[in-house]
Amino acid sequence: MLELGTEELPPGVIEPAAQELLRRICAQFEEHGLKTGAAELFYTPRRLTVRIKDVPEEKPGGVVELQGPPKKAGFDPEGKPTKTAIGFARAQGKGVEDLYVKQTPKGEYLFVKKEVPPVPVKAILEGCLGELIRTLPFPKTMRWNETGMRFSRPVRWILCLLGEEVVKFEFNGLVSGNTTLGHRNFSSKPIVVVRPEDYETVLWEHRVMVNPVQRQAAVERGCAELAQAQGGTVVSDPELVKETVNITEFPEPILCRFNPDYLTLPKEVLITALKMHQRCFSVQEQSGRLLPYFIAVANTPGCDQEWVRFWYERAIESRLRDARFFVESDLKVGLEPLVEEEKRVVWIEGLGSYYEKTQRLRELCRFLCQTIGGIDEKQLDRAALLSKADLLTAVVREKEFTSLQGVMGGVYAKILGEPEAVAQAIGEQYLPRSLEDRLPESAMGGVLSIADKIDNIVATFLAGTIPTGSEDPFGVRRQATGVLLIILKNRWPVGIPELVAKGLVLLGRDDKAVQEMVLGLFRERLSAILAEEGIRYDVANAVLATVWHTPIEAQLRARALIEFRNRPEFEKLIIGQKRVANILRGQDVSGLPDPALFQEEAERVLWQEAQAVEPKLKERLEGADYLGALELLLSLRRSIDRLFDDVLVMCEDERLRMNRLRLLSYVRSLFSQVADLSAIVLEG
């Protein structure tokens, strides 16, 4: 068992750091060929702990085979050992005569067999744990003493046991031992842990719930019981529950109350004020109406709950009073007057103001309405006009309520008498904010969200802030995924290239390089979405090679291809298409074949059947009957096979050869209207 004791860690880094610590320790055991039992993970704001069962006492000895340099580097052309071979043998305590040559996938290499003694696992751990901890990654790190060592927060103690033995190693001036510390407000003296199995019990006695699952259950159960006693339920907030678990070692939920007069505030404002400022849970009736209660979760076991309650209620009173002032001020002004004010607020340097962005959103919404149809264009235009006004309201402008952008616009629009559809669209314009977030429920909200995200993505690329492997400061990958998910959810026939081109035109830039980069981003995100649906990578590649530009078509074609894959004739059809692709690769083929040049019956039959299939194929594609389209193409399989059996495509006569290549190119063009079947991978 290894426990790192620290000053309070930021809640967002605790679980990832604990997971990485566990992964690294398990990797060390695996590297040394050591089999262990189940691994357990514990963490609190002040500790990261890994416990692994059934760890062996030693790494067994035996004969190992060690690979050395390539044979050509170890022996000269006359077969005499070089300095390289002599050095390798000497390093292993062997003579040159002990070396032998073995064939490997990379060629012939020198090997030597060596007897290695057993190694105590304790010695292995003592040799690696210090460096393993030293290199744990964190988003931000700090130095706290003269050693210059960096970690997320100062490390104060290290507990490390193998059975009942202490695994001793040094880290930043600390030496590991068999002691830990309990809750900061309950116990300040070191506590001895005799065996790893005692860990949870010992810490529980000193007011630490070290198991995060146990803490989460305590938070959820305690809050639910307090809310139920007032005839209500806790407003669901998994994010707040997780944060509470990561900032407490011994959570104690406490019921508090606020002035019922504040219930006149919008629900979203109340919930946000309670959550963002004091990390408190809201309480609501079954109908969803808020009650004048909230639940604070203290991290002070045995505290005076009345005193804690008093200070929480006092702090919340101040926040809600401010919130009410902001809301009342905003409603006096309204939303529409703020649209003109947007002219004075820069959106992105060099790309205009928020007012100009608003006008682009209106144009993008009109463009999408014409593509989709069935949407009230007048109401959608009103939603787009008011969509960014709430950024200038007092509530959103204040740092404490920035998370309510969009949401407050929808709330204010409803209060100020805008149509319900307009208010809902404004409130949904930023959805989904994350990969786990919900999608807009209304069609108008979906269109406004797409318009906003397209404008953001195109502008971000134009500004030169292009996402790299691990860097995506403006979340364009997430936004591109959001656009695609909204389109797929609503089954809208929206083409991505047309949408991106419109975005570029509205920004006054016809930049082909940027357009290609943005399209590449969307293609990559669509591939990821198909993979998450369980669609095989080769099926996705086959579809994305041809018709990915309209996402709903790509998705439906991929699903049809997955279903079609189960047909007994599928494999032969794919083999035929691979042969066609291989023959055409590198060939400059254009135009249709000349039937007068056909010399073999197989050529004539394939040409006639392919021509007969073409209009039927077009009809089925227009009706989105992709399975039917594949069945039509399957009808050509025997004629394609016969062509390869009876006809030498790459004959010496250039005219005949080119005519046959044109025939194959024509047949392939029919298949490409559905997917590039040559991209399908066959087993074996």
Side-chain angles (χ1 to χ4, degrees):
M1 185 179 73
L2 171 67
E3 179 196 59
L4 299 181
T6 69
E7 296 294 339
E8 277 77 359
L9 292 162
V13 309
I14 296 174
E15 186 176 355
Q19 293 282 4
E20 178 62 14
L21 182 63
L22 173 62
R23 187 195 68 77
R24 291 181 173 209
I25 293 174
C26 290
Q28 283 294 325
F29 285 128
E30 188 175 338
E31 184 179 322
H32 287 276
L34 298 168
K35 292 185 178 180
T36 63
E40 298 172 284
L41 200 59
F42 307 101
Y43 52 84
T44 77
R46 296 182 70 209
R47 65 200 79 227
L48 305 173
T49 306
V50 170
R51 184 170 68 188
I52 302 177
K53 298 180 180 179
D54 304 325
V55 176
E57 292 185 2
E58 66 177 20
K59 176 182 178 180
V63 177
V64 296
E65 186 177 56
L66 302 174
Q67 182 176 327
K71 177 186 175 183
K72 61 183 178 182
F75 293 97
D76 62 20
E78 298 177 1
K80 294 179 180 180
T82 65
K83 290 182 179 180
T84 302
I86 295 169
F88 170 62
R90 186 181 297 126
Q92 308 306 325
K94 297 288 185 177
V96 176
E97 65 277 7
D98 296 314
L99 301 180
Y100 57 95
V101 177
K102 275 184 67 175
Q103 182 70 36
T104 75
K106 294 183 178 181
E108 291 185 310
Y109 277 76
L110 301 184
F111 285 82
V112 66
K113 289 184 178 178
K114 182 179 178 181
E115 186 84 27
V116 295
V119 181
V121 169
K122 182 182 173 186
I124 293 173
L125 293 171
E126 288 175 340
C128 73
L129 288 178
E131 182 62 23
L132 184 151
I133 296 167
R134 191 172 289 111
T135 56
L136 272 180
F138 292 97
K140 293 182 180 179
T141 57
M142 61 182 293
R143 292 189 295 265
W144 64 94
N145 62 18
E146 65 282 354
T147 65
M149 178 59 60
R150 303 189 72 92
F151 206 76
S152 178
R153 291 294 184 269
V155 179
R156 298 305 189 196
W157 76 91
I158 301 174
L159 180 153
C160 195
L161 297 173
L162 183 59
E164 296 185 13
E165 286 189 83
V166 173
V167 178
K168 282 202 174 292
F169 65 93
E170 183 272 337
F171 172 78
N172 199 30
L174 290 171
V175 178
S176 57
N178 64 347
T179 60
T180 184
L181 290 178
H183 194 288
R184 186 185 293 280
N185 299 108
F186 183 81
S187 169
S188 59
K189 294 181 180 180
I191 309 157
V192 174
V193 178
V194 177
R195 303 175 307 159
E197 299 94 311
D198 302 336
Y199 182 64
E200 291 166 279
T201 304
V202 168
L203 282 174
W204 176 267
E205 292 170 354
H206 292 80
R207 299 297 186 272
V208 177
M209 294 184 196
V210 73
N211 190 326
V213 176
Q214 183 185 30
R215 288 202 308 284
Q216 179 168 333
V219 169
E220 292 176 337
R221 183 176 59 253
C223 290
E225 289 173 354
L226 292 174
Q228 190 175 11
Q230 304 304 318
T233 60
V234 178
V235 174
S236 177
D237 193 334
E239 182 184 78
L240 182 56
V241 170
K242 185 174 182 179
E243 185 176 11
T244 302
V245 167
N246 286 345
I247 62 173
T248 59
E249 289 203 311
F250 201 87
E252 288 200 7
I254 299 172
L255 182 71
C256 306
R257 195 173 190 277
F258 61 82
N259 189 330
D261 291 346
Y262 290 118
L263 290 173
T264 57
L265 285 170
K267 179 178 179 179
E268 295 82 359
V269 173
L270 275 169
I271 292 173
T272 301
L274 291 166
K275 173 183 177 177
M276 301 301 293
H277 302 310
Q278 302 297 331
R279 295 190 177 104
C280 294
F281 294 88
S282 300
V283 180
Q284 64 183 2
E285 295 177 334
Q286 293 295 336
S287 64
R289 190 176 74 88
L290 290 183
L291 292 170
Y293 299 100
F294 64 94
I295 299 169
V297 181
N299 185 36
T300 312
C303 64
D304 182 339
Q305 291 202 5
E306 288 300 323
W307 193 238
V308 172
R309 181 180 295 110
F310 168 78
W311 284 109
Y312 267 106
E313 290 177 351
R314 183 170 176 176
I316 287 299
E317 167 69 25
S318 173
R319 296 297 185 183
L320 295 182
R321 188 167 56 245
D322 289 346
R324 181 162 62 186
F325 173 77
F326 295 147
V327 170
E328 290 174 350
S329 300
D330 290 338
L331 290 175
K332 286 177 184 176
V333 176
L335 289 177
E336 193 161 1
L338 296 177
V339 176
E340 279 295 313
E341 295 295 315
E342 292 173 7
K343 293 179 179 178
R344 300 190 299 182
V345 183
V346 175
W347 178 49
I348 294 177
E349 196 66 41
L351 292 175
S353 66
Y354 268 101
Y355 180 83
E356 290 168 298
K357 178 179 177 64
T358 296
Q359 304 313 311
R360 289 196 301 274
L361 294 185
R362 297 174 74 185
E363 288 295 328
L364 282 166
C365 285
R366 290 191 194 102
F367 174 77
L368 284 164
C369 274
Q370 292 166 7
T371 303
I372 296 166
I375 295 176
D376 189 324
E377 190 172 327
K378 186 176 180 181
Q379 287 197 345
L380 180 56
D381 183 66
R382 181 69 177 172
L385 174 69
L386 301 177
S387 61
K388 302 304 172 187
D390 73 345
L391 295 174
L392 280 75
T393 60
V395 166
V396 176
R397 200 170 60 235
E398 295 302 316
K399 292 182 180 179
E400 294 88 346
F401 294 97
T402 52
S403 63
L404 289 178
Q405 66 180 43
V407 174
M408 283 312 300
V411 170
Y412 284 155
K414 189 172 182 179
I415 294 173
L416 292 166
E418 296 291 339
E420 178 68 33
V422 171
Q424 185 176 358
I426 295 172
E428 294 178 336
Q429 64 179 294
Y430 294 105
L431 297 179
R433 288 183 173 85
S434 67
L435 295 179
E436 298 77 29
D437 200 5
R438 64 189 179 91
L439 298 176
E441 294 177 10
S442 69
M444 282 172 50
V447 169
L448 185 55
S449 177
I450 290 173
D452 186 46
K453 288 174 172 56
I454 285 291
D455 191 55
N456 291 344
I457 293 167
V458 172
T460 300
F461 273 79
L462 285 174
T465 316
I466 299 168
T468 59
S470 59
E471 296 292 323
D472 187 9
F474 294 98
V476 295
R477 291 193 186 96
R478 169 183 52 77
Q479 294 190 71
T481 300
V483 169
L484 293 168
L485 290 175
I486 293 169
I487 290 172
L488 293 174
K489 175 198 171 189
N490 292 282
R491 301 172 71 90
W492 285 334
V494 175
I496 299 299
E498 294 81 4
L499 197 53
V500 172
K502 184 69 174 178
L504 281 166
V505 168
L506 291 173
L507 279 159
R509 304 278 284 276
D510 185 18
D511 193 319
K512 297 300 181 185
V514 166
Q515 184 171 5
E516 287 304 311
M517 285 191 287
V518 174
L519 292 179
L521 168 72
F522 274 99
R523 188 184 187 283
E524 174 220 326
R525 301 321 301 159
L526 181 56
S527 178
I529 289 171
L530 294 178
E532 287 174 9
E533 286 187 11
I535 292 172
R536 284 176 48 125
Y537 76 94
D538 57 334
V539 171
N541 289 342
V543 171
L544 297 179
T546 55
V547 292
W548 74 269
H549 303 89
T550 306
I552 187 60
E553 282 193 37
Q555 184 190 58
L556 294 174
R557 288 168 194 244
R559 289 176 179 174
L561 195 49
I562 286 287
E563 185 178 344
F564 191 70
R565 195 184 187 103
N566 298 323
R567 300 289 180 88
E569 313 95 329
F570 179 80
E571 185 170 320
K572 290 182 178 179
L573 181 68
I574 299 303
I575 291 171
Q577 285 303 298
K578 287 182 180 293
R579 291 182 69 180
V580 170
N582 288 336
I583 289 175
L584 291 173
R585 187 173 293 117
Q587 300 290 337
D588 184 13
V589 182
S590 61
L592 293 173
D594 180 359
L597 293 177
F598 292 152
Q599 292 193 340
E600 304 290 342
E601 182 65 17
E603 296 175 274
R604 297 187 186 91
V605 169
L606 179 57
W607 169 246
Q608 291 166 1
E609 289 187 0
Q611 282 196 307
V613 158
E614 185 173 14
K616 298 176 185 176
L617 179 65
K618 182 180 179 182
E619 183 181 327
R620 295 195 183 183
L621 290 176
E622 287 175 350
D625 180 10
Y626 302 116
L627 193 59
L630 286 166
E631 288 171 345
L632 265 179
L633 295 173
L634 180 61
S635 68
L636 297 176
R637 183 186 67 80
R638 292 186 184 278
S639 297
I640 295 171
D641 291 346
R642 183 183 173 189
L643 180 82
F644 285 125
D645 291 339
D646 297 353
V647 178
L648 179 61
V649 176
M650 304 302 286
C651 62
E652 293 184 5
D653 187 316
E654 185 178 349
R655 292 178 66 220
L656 292 181
R657 181 173 68 248
M658 186 54 66
N659 201 56
R660 289 166 181 175
L661 288 174
R662 288 190 178 115
L663 174 59
L664 287 179
S665 179
Y666 170 66
V667 170
R668 191 184 188 200
S669 72
L670 298 180
F671 280 81
S672 296
Q673 291 181 46
V674 180
D676 179 8
L677 298 188
S678 67
I680 298 295
V681 176
L682 299 176
E683 299 300 329

